[in-house]
């Protein structure tokens, strides 16, 4: 399955990451996802040299999987990619 998303407005930021709202582009996503209802989602983008910190945070989310959605926010994965140099996540 492929979900095509775009980043919306910045919701928050800290020393190691910036959080943006996520919007689904249903027209460019896989057919299985077009009919699905998606809860509000966010994407946390690491700041330069902090991707390992977010990877460690993801490890803790995996350890707390049994509590996700009740006590802990749901985590749908850790993904790596490149951001264009002119992208400002501040």
């Amino acid at each position: 399955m492929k979900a095509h998303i775009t980043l919306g407005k910045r919701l928050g930021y800290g020393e190691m990451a910036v959080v943006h709202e996520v919007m689904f582009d249903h027209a460019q996503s896989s057919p299985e996802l077009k009919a699905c209802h998606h809860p509000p989602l966010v994407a946390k983008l690491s700041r330069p040299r902090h991707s390992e910190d977010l990877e460690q945070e993801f490890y803790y989310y995996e350890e707390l999987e049994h509590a996700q959605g009740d006590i802990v926010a749901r985590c749908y994965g850790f993904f790596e990619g490149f951001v264009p140099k002119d992208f400002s996540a501040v």
Side-chain angles (χ1 to χ4, degrees):
M1 287 191 286
K2 176 183 115 181
H4 190 274
I5 63 168
T6 55
L7 297 179
K9 70 179 181 177
R10 183 184 70 192
L11 301 174
Y13 61 94
E15 184 178 322
M16 74 176 193
V18 179
V19 179
H20 284 266
E21 69 181 348
V22 169
M23 281 119 23
F24 277 91
D25 182 344
H26 293 280
Q28 294 188 48
S29 295
S30 297
E32 310 87 49
L33 297 175
K34 289 180 183 179
C36 293
H37 169 72
H38 303 287
L41 297 175
V42 299
K44 186 182 272 189
L45 304 166
S46 73
R47 293 191 182 275
R49 298 176 295 284
H50 285 281
S51 63
E52 289 179 4
D53 296 328
L54 285 187
E55 190 170 6
Q56 184 175 7
E57 183 178 306
F58 175 67
Y59 166 79
Y60 291 119
Y61 273 103
E62 286 184 314
E63 291 296 311
L64 296 169
E65 186 175 10
H66 64 281
Q68 286 187 26
D70 294 320
I71 300 169
V72 178
R74 289 200 186 277
C75 179
Y76 293 99
F78 177 81
F79 307 95
E80 294 183 80
F82 295 97
V83 178
K85 287 186 183 236
D86 61 343
F87 179 79
S88 175
V90 178

